[in-house]
């Protein structure tokens, strides 16, 4: 397509032409056809469309790989707050000013390609629905009103519709994840809240998100498809914000005094996608933001309460097992995962948080490690050391609480 156009691709137009011709030829055999024949030709069309939808996304992501695994940055090692290193970093960046981020031509072209693909899949689905209605009407003309009811039990193109919708959503998710985690890696993952919250706020990121939304808005898409791209971009932005808050590295420090600024920044992000009522529904935005909101709530809780909650989750969830190494559990809610509280303590710039981590987790920096870099045997040894030490410390604390000498 010409630049700035999201018209359906030639391949989609050709697919629909061949499909229409195939159905016409099948129905042209006359009134003697059994209903089973209609089932055969519609299922053939459905299978062909499913193959087409898979080809549209082929090659974008290795088969079987989740988008989070493809785009998410590696989890950094956990480290407790070290005041001397932090102050040194503050001095080094004392005159640093965040540079504006602009959408490059290549990045804009990639967004347009994504929109063309999604629009093509939507166009195919719309035309299939028209063809389905036409088949039913022509069968009624051939066999009469009574026989037309026999088609009621046929699925027609239901599998095709589901495949087209699934691939549209995947493509929009892929486009948003690429934009946030690759194109905007510097302003979002590398710079947001680095050293201090006040130093680099959310406004530094919002411009890049707005440029993506503007690029999508200028293309010939339906409101439904624009909302799809906006929704997936919001999801990706919230995922990235979660990474920054919990796995942003040891030079990101969050104190109680930062809570209000962080809440306001989340509000600005939500307002961008609400767009004064012209964008996503605020109820949907707030529902998608629940994870980040729960993190911000925990960041506003004093350190002693975070420590006590962490200890309680250790015992309640029985996490000191052969598998636990400090990594987050995607099966658990953020507020029920001890790894969330552990990360909040690591990013808390207070001495009591540092002291607790130093006493309870002397091997903290080996708890979340890259197995591929250090070797499997050493990695397993490190996990075993951490597991034994954590178990020992928790047992001692429980005995002390029970008054056992």
């Amino acid at each position: 397509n010409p630049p700035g156009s999201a018209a359906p691709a030639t391949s989609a137009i050709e697919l629909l032409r061949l499909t229409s011709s195939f159905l016409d030829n099948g129905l042209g055999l006359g009134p003697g056809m059994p209903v089973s024949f209609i089932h055969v030709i519609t299922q053939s069309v459905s299978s062909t469309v499913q193959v087409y939808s898979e080809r549209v996304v082929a090659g974008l992501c290795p088969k079987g790989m989740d988008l989070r695994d493809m785009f998410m940055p590696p989890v950094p090692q956990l480290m407790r707050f070290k005041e001397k290193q932090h102050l040194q970093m503050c001095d080094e960046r004392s005159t640093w000013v965040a540079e504006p981020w602009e959408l490059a031509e290549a990045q804009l072209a990639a967004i347009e390609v994504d929109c063309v693909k999604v629009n093509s899949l939507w166009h195919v689905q719309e035309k299939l629905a028209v063809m389905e209605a036409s088949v039913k009407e022509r069968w009624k003309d051939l066999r009469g009103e009574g026989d037309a009811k026999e088609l009621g039990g046929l699925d027609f193109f239901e599998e095709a519709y589901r495949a087209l919708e699934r691939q549209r959503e995947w493509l929009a998710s892929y486009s948003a994840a690429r934009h946030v985690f690759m194109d905007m890696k510097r302003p979002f993952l590398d710079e947001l809240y680095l050293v201090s919250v006040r130093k680099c706020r959310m406004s530094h990121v919002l411009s890049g998100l707005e440029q993506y939304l503007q690029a999508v808005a200028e293309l010939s898409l339906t409101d439904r498809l624009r909302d799809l791209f906006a929704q997936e971009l919001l999801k990706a932005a919230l995922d990235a914000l979660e990474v920054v808050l919990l796995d942003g590295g040891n030079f990101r420090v969050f104190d109680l005094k930062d809570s209000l600024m962080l809440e306001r920044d989340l509000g600005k992000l939500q307002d961008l996608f609400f767009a004064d009522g012209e964008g996503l529904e605020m109820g949907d935005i707030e529902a998608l933001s629940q994870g980040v909101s729960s993190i911000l709530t925990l960041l506003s809780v004093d350190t002693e309460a975070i420590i006590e909650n962490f200890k309680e989750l250790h015992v309640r969830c029985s996490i000191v097992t052969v598998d636990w190494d400090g990594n987050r559990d995607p099966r658990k809610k953020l507020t029920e995962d001890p790894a969330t509280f552990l990360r909040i303590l690591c990013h808390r710039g207070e001495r009591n948080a540092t002291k607790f981590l130093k006493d309870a987790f002397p091997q903290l920096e080996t708890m979340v490690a890259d197995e591929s870099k250090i070797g499997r045997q050493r990695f397993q040894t490190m996990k075993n050391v951490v597991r034994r030490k954590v178990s020992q410390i928790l047992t001692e604390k429980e005995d002390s609480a029970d008054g056992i000498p």
Side-chain angles (χ1 to χ4, degrees), residues 362-394:
Q363 301 290 337
L364 178 65
E365 294 178 17
T366 65
M367 291 185 68
V368 178
D370 189 340
E371 179 178 344
S372 63
K373 292 181 180 178
I374 63 177
R376 184 173 184 82
Q377 184 174 359
R378 184 183 171 204
F379 181 76
Q380 189 61 46
T381 301
M382 290 162 55
K383 287 173 63 178
N384 292 337
V385 170
V386 171
R387 185 169 61 254
R388 289 196 299 270
K389 188 65 179 179
V390 172
S391 180
Q392 175 188 342
I393 291 171
L394 289 176

Side-chain angles (χ1 to χ4, degrees), residues 22-77:
F22 177 71
L23 291 173
D24 285 343
N25 290 335
L27 290 169
L29 295 177
M33 296 180 297
V35 173
S36 59
F37 180 74
I38 297 294
H39 176 72
V40 170
I41 63 175
T42 55
Q43 288 306 297
S44 297
V45 169
S46 185
S47 297
T48 301
V49 171
Q50 290 178 65
V51 171
Y52 173 79
S53 69
E54 291 171 0
R55 293 288 179 86
V56 169
V57 303
L60 295 178
C61 180
K63 191 173 183 180
M65 178 177 285
D66 188 85
L67 283 179
R68 291 179 65 91
D69 297 329
M70 182 174 180
F71 290 113
M72 284 283 192
V75 177
Q77 288 187 337

Side-chain angles (χ1 to χ4, degrees), residues 159-271:
E159 289 296 328
Y161 294 151
R162 282 193 285 270
L164 291 165
E165 182 176 8
R166 183 170 59 251
Q167 302 300 2
R168 283 200 308 273
E169 291 177 354
W170 188 91
L171 271 168
S173 178
Y174 170 89
S175 179
R178 185 194 62 227
H179 181 73
V180 169
F181 290 101
M182 290 183 62
D183 298 346
M184 290 188 62
K185 180 178 181 297
R186 175 183 62 80
F188 212 141
L189 299 177
D190 296 343
E191 296 177 349
L192 181 64
Y193 304 147
L194 189 64
V195 179
S196 72
V197 172
R198 190 179 299 277
K199 189 71 173 176
C200 187
R201 298 285 297 277
M202 179 62 71
S203 56
H204 180 51
V205 169
L206 294 180
S207 173
L209 299 177
E210 189 172 8
Q211 290 176 56
Y212 179 97
L213 294 173
Q214 185 63 34
V216 172
E218 290 176 355
L219 297 171
S220 52
L221 298 176
T222 65
D223 290 343
R224 179 173 175 176
L225 295 184
R226 289 195 188 99
D227 286 349
L228 173 61
F229 277 99
Q231 177 179 287
E232 294 304 323
L233 183 66
L234 175 58
K235 289 180 182 178
L238 291 168
D239 284 344
L241 184 54
E242 188 176 308
V243 169
V244 168
L245 295 173
L246 295 181
D247 284 310
N250 60 308
F251 289 117
R252 281 190 169 101
V253 180
F254 304 107
D255 295 318
L256 294 177
K257 66 178 183 299
D258 297 325
S259 299
L260 183 58
M261 286 187 288
L262 292 171
E263 289 284 356
R264 287 174 175 170
D265 279 1
L266 177 60
K268 291 178 181 178
L269 179 65
Q270 293 174 328
D271 288 343

